[in-house]
Amino acid sequence: MTTKMAINAKDIFRNQHRLIRFLEQSNRLCSNQSLKAAQAAQLQQKSSADFEITASLDAQYTSAPEPIKHDKNLGHQFRASQISVRLAAPEQLQPKPDNDEELGFGRLFTDHMLKIYYHKSLGGWQRPEITPLENLVMHPAAKVLHYAVELFEGMKAYRGVDGKIRIFRPDMNMNRMNLAAQRSGLPTFEAKEFVQCLSRLLSIDSEWVPHTDTASLYIRPTLIGIDPTLGVASSDSALLYTILSPVGSYFKTGSSGAVSLLADPSYVRAWPGGVGNRKMGSNYAPTINVQKEAAAKGLQQVLWLYGEDHQLTEVGTMNIFMFYVNDQGEQELVTPPLSGLILPGITRDSILRMTRQWGKFKVSEATITMPMVCELLNQGRLLELFGAGTACVVSPVNRISYLGQDLYIPTMEQEKPVHELIRETLTDIQYGRVDHPWSVVID
Amino acid sequence: MTTKMAINAKDIFRNQHRLIRFLEQSNRLCSNQSLKAAQAAQLQQKSSADFEITASLDAQYTSAPEPIKHDKNLGHQFRASQISVRLAAPEQLQPKPDNDEELGFGRLFTDHMLKIYYHKSLGGWQRPEITPLENLVMHPAAKVLHYAVELFEGMKAYRGVDGKIRIFRPDMNMNRMNLAAQRSGLPTFEAKEFVQCLSRLLSIDSEWVPHTDTASLYIRPTLIGIDPTLGVASSDSALLYTILSPVGSYFKTGSSGAVSLLADPSYVRAWPGGVGNRKMGSNYAPTINVQKEAAAKGLQQVLWLYGEDHQLTEVGTMNIFMFYVNDQGEQELVTPPLSGLILPGITRDSILRMTRQWGKFKVSEATITMPMVCELLNQGRLLELFGAGTACVVSPVNRISYLGQDLYIPTMEQEKPVHELIRETLTDIQYGRVDHPWSVVID
């Protein structure tokens, strides 16, 4: 208890300047002036070296999400109110890690898990269950093991400076998960009910949410097809489950804190007419060996290219952003558009909304090609390149190996780097250092 | 026993004309004349309406396989001689199906399975085990459930007219499986050792190999990554397992015995720089919803197109063949080349070798596009279109729905259809009605 209070007190102290600024700004923005006036005010402050955050953002999507229509033969939905809970016995409880620095990513798991079965033959979704973390038992013909009938989400629970646990924009994850379910011939579900089930799981394992702002509890909702039949067809039985893992930082970075990338156009992650915009397991298996190849060359991640003009699509498992000086001499933040080739990242969406509201520089969704990157580097106009995703928030890039060239990217040399402003603003929201509608407190 | 003998006697009687012809021909081909002379003799017989088979084919590949090089850190291999066997108790044995007509595909399984674990931490491949068919137990973070770290093969065991059990070109399946393992960051293995383990499993469950030439025992070797960690990375633990399923015909066909296809260029199965030429689970999940869409339109399979010129790549889970009259007025059998976009089918390879040896018509590997198909149909030059694969041998196509057009394909109207000659020749080899090096007898 003492430790926890000490950490919270330390956090509050460390962040009080931001809290004060936020409160001042919230007052200004939430007062009676119109949004336009607020934007005008922001534009005036454009030259201010510091960044701004605001609670007036709505939680809309950059591109409107396709609405989820449940299949008419889906059967009944599950209800969070019907959840059954079987707690781990005291002797089953695992020790929590002492040192958040050594957590790594997804190696340790909490004491409990959530399971919700779907059986068409039993009328649809079954009653949600929280159980001790335990092995799954499945028929060796289960479709997930043969045809990759599987999809997942990545979310995080953060321990706020007020001790409360928050999750970030869960509606976005639920929407994306349902879209992936439809694309995989798997059953869809009611997003709100599932978030309530997740909240219940999180409150049971709440002591696993690290008491620090350098770690968090990774949430892995997973949906798999478990029909024990070998036909390549939709699965009439499925399991929606969730495990939790306390995590530190996702990547090992170089000593600089930045990652180096292999950009090899002979490997392509996704293509038009495929499923590159859905978080399906099938998008990941083909990347593993390419990642191995990058590692063998001393590079940390893969920069995925597409097309004859070598368009940048994703980096590792992240969306990519470039901050540069455009042809008009303006600073511009650009990320590839949601063309179907890239995952509609929630961090990506949040960065776009946030930086557009800042009004400090131009923000656009447009194609970036490797020849553009090379030219901008030659002209000294490429300022920063970084990945963005739930696991790492932002991940600066300092090197790309491309067609035998070793491109040095000056991301870490900027005096007030944009990726750092973005990281601080997002983590301020996630760790509750500022109050924001994107952060949902778990009761 | 009486039934079995009756079936064998019936089969032998039904096929004795082929056996006699085969023996005559084998004598001719195996005599001292050169291959060239044999080919010349075949060319002379080109006008003969009947088809020919020969035991003089070697079991080489159409395109030489990439040699399997084991990773230097792989650790030790498994040995078939070290296999442990735990037989099902008498009360665990399942009743065998009475009616082969109702088997369907991959719904029933035999009494035993084969399992071989790989653990890098334990030095490599572990001792192979045959156990009763049982559920797999795995950690909910196992990589196969999240990132589709999985691949498989499809083989069949046939009950020959002599009562012996045969498998077909197993070296081809093993080679393809090892290539898929490499591409997935999973451990490779010694093909011969694995075939010996499979043979042992087949001999234990030998009574499950249907006593008929209208059914067979489907063999599903599967390799999955089971590391219980959420990083997108190679799996240091894996399970190579095999289940067996007595199967009838794979597809429900229309009343004609032929299948109808949806050809929608907005869905793409594979692309350059991807893994369309590897039998990985990740190639299948994205096809399931498209197959559902075809079914909703009353069509039985998907014809996968690629590129702006709408190249035919695969049909359902099969390779595709077209028999037509070419610009020179010759009959020609054509199938798309192994460009990386299509699976290197073993039935495909067998058909190419066999028909090339027949010398009855031109045989080529070349791109086929939908505009070509439409033009050939208009000119009455498209004779047959069919899929080819292990599950169905050949599957004739009689209809394609393409960009709002309903194309009728006269595959079933030919007097002596080539796809029927191919099916008969291949099944003659598979069911041991002729002796052939492609058929491997299981002791």
Side-chain angles (χ1 to χ4, degrees):
Chain A
M1 236 1 229
T2 323
T3 318
K4 185 178 163 185
M5 279 181 65
I7 287 171
N8 286 353
K10 197 180 75 185
D11 279 350
I12 290 168
F13 180 76
R14 192 197 299 161
N15 294 290
Q16 60 182 346
H17 63 289
R18 287 207 203 110
L19 268 170
I20 292 166
R21 196 171 55 238
F22 170 70
L23 289 171
E24 287 170 358
Q25 189 173 343
S26 297
N27 284 339
R28 194 168 60 236
L29 287 178
C30 297
S31 68
N32 225 0
Q33 57 190 330
S34 71
L35 182 62
K36 218 164 181 178
Q39 285 170 336
Q42 284 189 323
L43 281 173
Q44 283 175 358
Q45 295 171 357
K46 201 176 168 181
S47 59
S48 151
D50 222 331
F51 66 101
E52 299 159 42
I53 46 175
T54 164
S56 73
L57 287 170
D58 58 18
Q60 296 300 302
Y61 296 77
T62 323
S63 43
E66 301 160 44
I68 297 300
K69 278 187 197 157
H70 300 300
D71 188 287
K72 63 183 194 305
N73 300 318
L74 180 71
H76 46 69
Q77 289 288 342
F78 60 82
R79 298 284 159 221
S81 58
Q82 297 177 330
I83 204 164
S84 74
V85 177
R86 174 163 54 90
L87 292 179
E91 68 274 15
Q92 287 181 297
L93 296 177
Q94 296 296 312
K96 291 168 189 69
D98 287 334
N99 188 347
D100 292 325
E101 304 288 309
E102 288 172 14
L103 283 174
F105 183 83
R107 293 199 301 254
L108 274 178
F109 298 93
T110 68
D111 296 315
H112 295 89
M113 67 188 296
L114 169 68
K115 300 192 196 94
I116 316 175
Y117 282 92
Y118 174 88
H119 295 296
K120 185 162 256 177
S121 61
L122 297 177
W125 283 105
Q126 307 297 300
R127 185 177 171 179
E129 324 162 58
I130 288 173
T131 70
L133 181 78
E134 56 197 13
N135 283 329
L136 298 177
V137 174
M138 72 183 78
H139 194 282
K143 287 200 197 298
V144 62
L145 304 177
H146 300 266
Y147 308 124
V149 183
E150 61 195 66
L151 56 99
F152 64 94
E153 273 300 325
M155 309 165 70
K156 279 178 170 178
Y158 307 89
R159 172 82 55 187
V161 289
D162 53 2
K164 289 183 184 164
I165 296 169
R166 287 171 174 80
I167 54 178
F168 187 73
R169 306 185 76 185
D171 52 324
M172 296 282 283
N173 294 94
M174 295 300 107
N175 188 274
R176 191 168 66 179
M177 196 170 190
N178 265 318
L179 289 174
Q182 282 180 330
R183 188 62 184 79
S184 310
L186 284 171
T188 53
F189 54 87
E190 286 296 327
K192 280 186 182 172
E193 298 293 326
F194 189 51
V195 172
Q196 281 180 39
C197 294
L198 287 181
S199 301
R200 183 71 185 277
L201 176 66
L202 285 169
S203 55
I204 288 173
D205 276 346
S206 62
E207 273 311 300
W208 283 90
V209 183
H211 289 265
T212 163
D213 63 357
T214 57
S216 56
L217 187 64
Y218 186 79
I219 307 170
R220 172 53 63 92
T222 310
L223 177 57
I224 60 177
I226 56 174
D227 258 24
T229 53
L230 293 180
V232 181
S234 324
S235 194
D236 287 340
S237 290
L239 172 61
L240 174 60
Y241 70 97
T242 303
I243 51 179
L244 307 174
S245 170
V247 296
S249 51
Y250 185 84
F251 298 117
K252 281 208 166 37
T253 56
S255 52
S256 65
V259 295
S260 54
L261 307 180
L262 170 66
D264 181 343
S266 65
Y267 294 108
V268 179
R269 178 191 164 272
W271 70 107
V275 295
N277 58 345
R278 298 287 173 258
K279 210 164 173 69
M280 290 162 61
S282 57
N283 286 328
Y284 296 83
T287 71
I288 289 173
N289 217 41
V290 188
Q291 172 64 35
K292 250 176 134 172
E293 197 174 313
K297 292 180 176 168
L299 301 159
Q300 285 142 345
Q301 287 290 313
V302 177
L303 177 59
W304 296 99
L305 305 180
Y306 176 79
E308 288 180 10
D309 53 351
H310 298 174
Q311 299 164 29
L312 284 67
T313 60
E314 293 198 15
V315 49
T317 58
M318 298 177 285
N319 293 123
I320 190 153
F321 282 83
M322 178 170 79
F323 189 60
Y324 75 115
V325 178
N326 67 19
D327 289 345
Q328 287 72 47
E330 308 158 316
Q331 290 188 334
E332 180 170 337
L333 181 68
V334 59
T335 193
L338 298 179
S339 59
L341 292 183
I342 65 168
L343 200 75
I346 292 158
T347 308
R348 174 189 180 279
D349 180 87
S350 304
I351 292 174
L352 287 174
R353 295 186 165 278
M354 199 168 68
T355 54
R356 279 175 177 151
Q357 185 134 10
W358 288 353
K360 291 172 72 72
F361 41 76
K362 199 174 164 193
V363 178
S364 60
E365 291 167 85
T367 300
I368 313 170
T369 65
M370 280 308 296
M372 271 173 66
V373 166
C374 295
E375 198 186 326
L376 290 170
L377 282 174
N378 276 339
Q379 300 175 353
R381 288 162 55 195
L382 203 166
L383 307 176
E384 299 175 46
L385 200 68
F386 56 95
T390 295
C392 63
V393 190
V394 294
S395 181
V397 172
N398 68 350
R399 205 180 127 206
I400 302 176
S401 169
Y402 170 64
L403 301 181
Q405 300 171 71
D406 200 22
L407 306 174
Y408 176 75
I409 317 285
T411 309
M412 303 305 280
E413 287 178 25
Q414 309 305 316
E415 204 176 328
K416 289 181 182 291
V418 162
H419 74 270
E420 271 301 325
L421 296 186
I422 289 170
R423 187 208 310 274
E424 283 188 35
T425 313
L426 280 177
T427 55
D428 279 354
I429 295 171
Q430 290 164 342
Y431 288 93
R433 290 188 288 258
V434 299
D435 198 22
H436 195 285
W438 283 347
S439 249
V440 178
V441 172
I442 299 296
D443 295 322
Chain B
M1 236 2 231
T2 321
T3 320
K4 183 177 162 184
M5 280 183 65
I7 289 172
N8 286 353
K10 198 180 76 181
D11 278 350
I12 291 166
F13 180 76
R14 193 200 294 163
N15 294 292
Q16 61 180 346
H17 63 289
R18 287 203 203 112
L19 269 171
I20 291 165
R21 197 170 55 238
F22 170 72
L23 290 172
E24 287 170 0
Q25 190 173 344
S26 297
N27 284 339
R28 194 169 60 236
L29 286 178
C30 296
S31 69
N32 227 358
Q33 56 190 330
S34 73
L35 181 63
K36 216 165 183 180
Q39 284 170 337
Q42 283 188 322
L43 280 173
Q44 282 177 358
Q45 293 170 0
K46 201 177 169 184
S47 59
S48 151
D50 221 330
F51 65 101
E52 300 159 41
I53 46 177
T54 164
S56 72
L57 288 170
D58 59 20
Q60 296 300 303
Y61 297 76
T62 323
S63 44
E66 302 161 45
I68 298 299
K69 277 188 201 157
H70 301 299
D71 188 288
K72 64 183 193 306
N73 300 318
L74 181 70
H76 46 70
Q77 289 288 341
F78 60 83
R79 299 283 159 222
S81 58
Q82 297 177 330
I83 204 164
S84 74
V85 177
R86 174 163 55 90
L87 291 179
E91 68 275 13
Q92 286 181 297
L93 297 176
Q94 296 297 310
K96 291 167 191 70
D98 287 334
N99 189 346
D100 292 325
E101 303 289 310
E102 288 173 14
L103 284 174
F105 182 84
R107 292 199 301 255
L108 274 178
F109 298 94
T110 68
D111 296 314
H112 296 88
M113 68 187 295
L114 169 68
K115 299 191 196 93
I116 317 174
Y117 282 92
Y118 174 88
H119 295 295
K120 185 163 258 179
S121 61
L122 297 179
W125 284 105
Q126 305 298 299
R127 187 176 168 181
E129 323 163 55
I130 288 173
T131 70
L133 180 78
E134 56 196 13
N135 284 328
L136 299 177
V137 174
M138 73 182 77
H139 194 282
K143 287 200 196 297
V144 61
L145 304 176
H146 300 265
Y147 308 124
V149 183
E150 60 194 68
L151 57 98
F152 63 94
E153 274 299 324
M155 308 165 71
K156 279 178 170 177
Y158 307 90
R159 172 81 57 185
V161 291
D162 53 3
K164 288 182 184 163
I165 295 170
R166 287 172 174 78
I167 55 178
F168 186 73
R169 306 186 76 185
D171 52 326
M172 296 282 281
N173 295 93
M174 294 302 105
N175 189 273
R176 192 168 65 179
M177 195 168 190
N178 265 320
L179 289 175
Q182 282 180 329
R183 188 62 184 80
S184 309
L186 284 171
T188 53
F189 53 87
E190 287 295 329
K192 278 187 182 171
E193 298 293 326
F194 189 50
V195 171
Q196 280 179 39
C197 294
L198 286 181
S199 300
R200 184 72 185 277
L201 177 66
L202 284 169
S203 56
I204 289 172
D205 276 347
S206 63
E207 272 313 298
W208 283 91
V209 184
H211 289 266
T212 162
D213 63 357
T214 58
S216 56
L217 187 65
Y218 186 80
I219 306 169
R220 172 54 64 93
T222 310
L223 177 57
I224 61 177
I226 56 174
D227 257 23
T229 53
L230 293 180
V232 180
S234 322
S235 195
D236 286 340
S237 290
L239 172 61
L240 174 60
Y241 70 97
T242 303
I243 51 177
L244 307 173
S245 170
V247 296
S249 51
Y250 185 83
F251 298 116
K252 282 209 168 31
T253 56
S255 52
S256 65
V259 295
S260 54
L261 308 180
L262 170 65
D264 182 343
S266 65
Y267 294 109
V268 179
R269 178 191 164 273
W271 70 105
V275 294
N277 59 346
R278 297 287 174 259
K279 210 164 175 69
M280 289 162 62
S282 58
N283 286 327
Y284 295 84
T287 71
I288 288 173
N289 217 42
V290 188
Q291 172 64 33
K292 250 177 136 173
E293 197 173 313
K297 292 182 175 167
L299 301 159
Q300 285 142 343
Q301 287 291 314
V302 177
L303 177 58
W304 296 99
L305 305 180
Y306 176 79
E308 286 180 13
D309 53 350
H310 298 175
Q311 300 164 30
L312 284 67
T313 58
E314 292 198 15
V315 50
T317 57
M318 298 177 287
N319 292 123
I320 190 153
F321 281 83
M322 178 170 78
F323 189 59
Y324 76 115
V325 178
N326 68 18
D327 289 345
Q328 287 72 47
E330 308 159 314
Q331 290 189 335
E332 180 170 337
L333 181 69
V334 60
T335 193
L338 298 180
S339 60
L341 292 182
I342 66 169
L343 200 76
I346 292 157
T347 307
R348 175 188 179 280
D349 181 87
S350 305
I351 291 174
L352 286 175
R353 293 186 168 276
M354 198 170 67
T355 54
R356 279 175 176 150
Q357 184 134 10
W358 288 353
K360 291 174 70 72
F361 42 75
K362 198 175 165 192
V363 178
S364 60
E365 291 167 86
T367 300
I368 313 170
T369 67
M370 281 308 296
M372 271 173 67
V373 166
C374 294
E375 196 186 328
L376 290 171
L377 281 175
N378 276 339
Q379 299 175 353
R381 286 162 56 195
L382 202 167
L383 307 175
E384 300 174 47
L385 200 68
F386 56 94
T390 296
C392 63
V393 189
V394 293
S395 179
V397 173
N398 67 351
R399 207 182 125 205
I400 301 175
S401 171
Y402 170 64
L403 300 180
Q405 300 171 70
D406 200 23
L407 304 175
Y408 176 78
I409 317 286
T411 309
M412 304 305 279
E413 286 178 25
Q414 310 304 316
E415 208 177 326
K416 289 181 182 293
V418 161
H419 73 270
E420 270 302 324
L421 296 187
I422 289 169
R423 187 208 309 276
E424 283 187 38
T425 312
L426 280 177
T427 54
D428 279 355
I429 296 171
Q430 289 163 342
Y431 288 93
R433 289 188 289 258
V434 299
D435 197 22
H436 194 286
W438 282 348
S439 250
V440 178
V441 173
I442 299 295
D443 295 321

